Structures are given as structure tokens and as C-alpha cells.
Amino acid sequence: MDTAAAVGGGAGVEGQQQAAELPELLIFGYPPTQFLVPLAKRFRLLKPLEEESMSTQQFLTTHAQSVRALACLGLHPIDSEILRCLPSLQCVVATSVGVDHIDLAECRRRGIAVTNAGPAFAEDTADFAVGLLLDVLRRVSAADRYVRQGLWPIKGDYPLGSKLGSKQVGIIGMGNIGSEVAKRLEPFGCSISYNSRTKKSSFAFPFYSNVHELAANSDVLILTCALSKETYHIIDRDMILALGEKGVIINVGRGALIDEKELVRCLVQGEIGGAGLDVYENEPDVPKELFVLDNVVLSPHKAVLTPESFAASSKMAMANLEAFFAGKPLLSPVKDE
């Protein structure tokens, strides 16, 4: 036998043995290369979405009975059907901030820990929320379209927008993202108030336990909270009307935080001043009525998406996985509602 071939074969067997000794990690989603490489060095990866010869349930039943950890990349649903196929599962690590795509009730029932991206996306999402607000108030996108369509020399100056300074801004959800939004808006001269599950002792901003009262005392509402049974359609028609005909809603949380049909109706009828929306109830479908409204700025769920935030999210996920397998406290556990 050729010596080189013999050495190579031995190395291959040794490599396979080493891989078999690595802890198993079940992957749902498609990790970017910069995250996949370190994962593959640390874990033996099981990827059911890449298996074409059997269904996901068959794959899990065949290959994943002993899996203790699952990495959920993006917003791939982790429902009770998937969880039932994983009797040994102890930890779900998500690379997103929101975890409404994961069956948290079933995880709690079985004692499965869930982590999210924690503060990884907070700064970039807060930047985007403030950008949406500035765009809506100053009509940046609308004025851009006005110029590009050649309307300036024909119709004259574009209508005035509104200043950001001195606005009363209500933030729903004073977590990592909400606090970063507040930090950015204070230097503009905005007055901040907020609603959250509990009053935050670390903030001196006025706290409203009642979201309707918050809306009635705000010029702008910014939604940064998680989607849950309690926050589903937290912005309904009454909330919109309480905000008023000059009020603005910015949503960088989840689409279903808002009763979208009522929001569209109020925008079309002029019962609210404007909206900046990064998320929608039935993505990627966006109500066509919004396309013609110059007081609405639309974005395709990209507030969190920057190379820097992806890197931070991957780092947080890896740190949570390392902590789990080392028996150490998780870095960003999702707390019960």
C-alpha cells in the first residue's frame, strides 16, 4: 500500500472518531459561513433541512433522539411537533431577539432552557427605529420620490415635514432595544416615557402601566417589545385614536403587535399622522394601501440586519452553547413572561 495513502486513511479514521466524540448540535436554519466554521469545529452538526431523503420528523426520530442542544438560526419555527421528537433536548439557542417562533410554553413545560441574541441587535435596531422616525417626520423618502419623479420644477417646493425635537415619545418595551432608542432620542430633545412588563428602576423616565394612557400622552409610539399573548394587537383602533391624528407609530418589533387592518384604515382615513414599519403581520405580504401613502415609510424586516449585528449574534449564540455544555449559567436566557 502507498505510504501516503495509508497515512491519509489513518488520519481520516482518526478525524471521524474525533468528530463522533464531539457533542451533537441540531441546526435549524442556514448558518453563514463565518458561523458554520466555528460550529463545525466544536460540535457534530445535524442539519435536517439539508436532508432530502427523509422528512424533518423522520430525520429527528432517526438521528436526533440524544440531542441535548438545538441552534435556531433566523426565525425558523420550533414548534411542539419538533420538540416532541427530541426527548433529550435541554437547550434551544436562538440567534434572534424575538422568540415567538419557538413554542415557549412547551419548552417551559419540559424545562428546556431558551436563549436569544440578547443585546446583539439592540444598537443597530435602535438606529433603524430612529431613522424611520426621522424619515416619517421629515418626509425624506417621500421628498426623494418627489425629486426623482421630476415634480420639483413643476409643482414647486415639497410640503413641510415636522421636527423631531420636543416630541413626546412613548416606547413600548424598555428592554435592550427600547433603552437604546431612548438613549438616541434624548439628545434630540425628545421627552421619553415608556411601558414595559415592570417599571425599570434604572430609568427616570415616566412609566405607564396602561398603554392607552401612554398613547394619549405621546406624539410618537415606538414598538420594541416582544410578541406574546399579552402584546398581540397591543396597538388596536382605540390606541391609534388615543395617539391622535398627528401621531406617528414606529414598529421594529413584530408585525402582530399592531392590528394591521385598523392601522391601514386609520392611515388611509387620516386618523393618524404617519407610520414607519419594518415588520408586518403576514410577511412578506404588505398591505398595498400603504404603497401610495407619503406619510408611511416601509422596510422589509431589516432593522437588525448589518454585518456587525450578525457577528455579534453569532458570538452570543456560540457563547450560550459553550456555557450550556460546560454546565455554566447561560448568557442571555429568555425569562418567563
Side-chain angles (χ1 to χ4, degrees):
M1 178 182 292
D2 181 83
T3 304
V7 172
V13 171
E14 182 180 351
Q16 292 174 359
Q17 291 175 340
Q18 291 174 345
E21 293 171 358
L22 294 175
E24 294 178 324
L25 177 64
L26 184 62
I27 298 263
F28 275 93
Y30 300 95
T33 302
Q34 62 268 31
F35 187 32
L36 182 60
V37 171
L39 280 179
K41 291 180 179 178
R42 179 65 180 82
F43 307 103
R44 185 161 70 89
L45 304 181
L46 299 177
K47 298 181 278 187
L49 300 185
E50 297 182 9
E51 180 58 60
E52 298 180 354
S53 63
M54 61 181 75
S55 68
T56 296
Q57 187 171 3
Q58 289 174 324
F59 181 94
L60 297 178
T61 303
T62 304
H63 297 289
Q65 291 289 296
S66 61
V67 165
R68 296 173 56 215
L70 182 159
C72 178
L73 310 176
L75 300 178
H76 191 285
I78 305 299
D79 56 24
S80 58
E81 183 176 345
I82 289 175
L83 295 172
R84 277 196 298 269
C85 297
L86 302 169
S88 301
L89 188 66
Q90 298 174 14
C91 184
V92 176
V93 172
T95 60
S96 59
V97 176
V99 289
D100 50 286
H101 56 297
I102 298 171
D103 190 333
L104 294 179
E106 180 65 13
C107 288
R108 282 195 294 268
R109 187 185 72 79
R110 287 180 44 188
I112 300 171
V114 179
T115 73
N116 67 359
F121 294 120
E123 292 186 354
D124 290 337
T125 305
D127 289 346
F128 204 87
V130 173
L132 284 175
L133 178 55
L134 278 166
D135 197 339
V136 174
L137 291 176
R138 298 302 304 272
R139 305 288 181 89
V140 178
S141 294
D144 175 82
R145 291 192 295 273
Y146 189 78
V147 173
R148 291 175 186 272
Q149 292 168 6
L151 299 177
W152 189 9
I154 299 172
K155 294 188 175 183
D157 292 339
Y158 190 76
L160 298 177
S162 177
K163 69 178 293 184
L164 174 57
S166 78
K167 289 289 187 292
Q168 302 282 337
V169 178
I171 299 174
I172 299 181
M174 191 59 87
N176 290 316
I177 297 172
S179 60
E180 290 293 336
V181 170
K183 185 189 301 183
R184 284 154 175 73
L185 288 178
E186 274 197 295
F188 282 97
C190 295
S191 296
I192 308 296
S193 53
Y194 73 99
N195 166 270
S196 198
R197 285 195 298 267
T198 58
K199 185 176 181 179
K200 310 288 185 179
S201 59
S202 54
F203 298 116
F205 308 127
F207 169 73
Y208 286 84
S209 59
N210 185 296
V211 290
H212 192 276
E213 292 180 6
L214 177 66
N217 288 278
S218 299
D219 303 310
V220 176
L221 284 180
I222 299 181
L223 309 183
T224 63
C225 60
L227 177 62
S228 65
K229 291 180 180 178
E230 292 73 27
T231 60
Y232 175 79
H233 282 190
I234 193 171
I235 303 298
D236 56 17
R237 180 171 177 79
D238 288 342
M239 281 282 289
I240 296 171
L241 295 181
L243 185 60
E245 62 181 16
K246 293 184 179 180
V248 171
I249 291 177
I250 303 296
N251 191 4
V252 292
R254 286 288 188 269
L257 295 173
I258 301 176
D259 185 335
E260 194 167 81
K261 290 183 179 178
E262 287 299 333
L263 176 63
V264 170
R265 184 178 293 113
C266 289
L267 284 165
V268 171
Q269 294 177 355
E271 294 175 314
I272 185 176
L277 307 173
D278 182 55
V279 288
Y280 312 88
E281 279 208 71
N282 300 296
E283 297 176 0
D285 295 329
V286 178
K288 292 181 173 55
E289 297 93 330
L290 300 178
F291 294 173
V292 297
L293 300 179
D294 280 345
N295 60 339
V296 177
V297 179
L298 305 172
S299 170
H301 201 150
K302 61 171 291 184
V304 304
L305 303 182
T306 67
E308 293 85 357
S309 66
F310 270 132
S313 171
S314 299
K315 184 177 180 180
M316 178 64 73
M318 181 63 79
N320 276 311
L321 287 168
E322 295 283 1
F324 169 73
F325 282 106
K328 297 179 180 180
L330 300 171
L331 278 72
S332 55
V334 174
K335 297 181 175 63
D336 289 345
E337 293 292 339

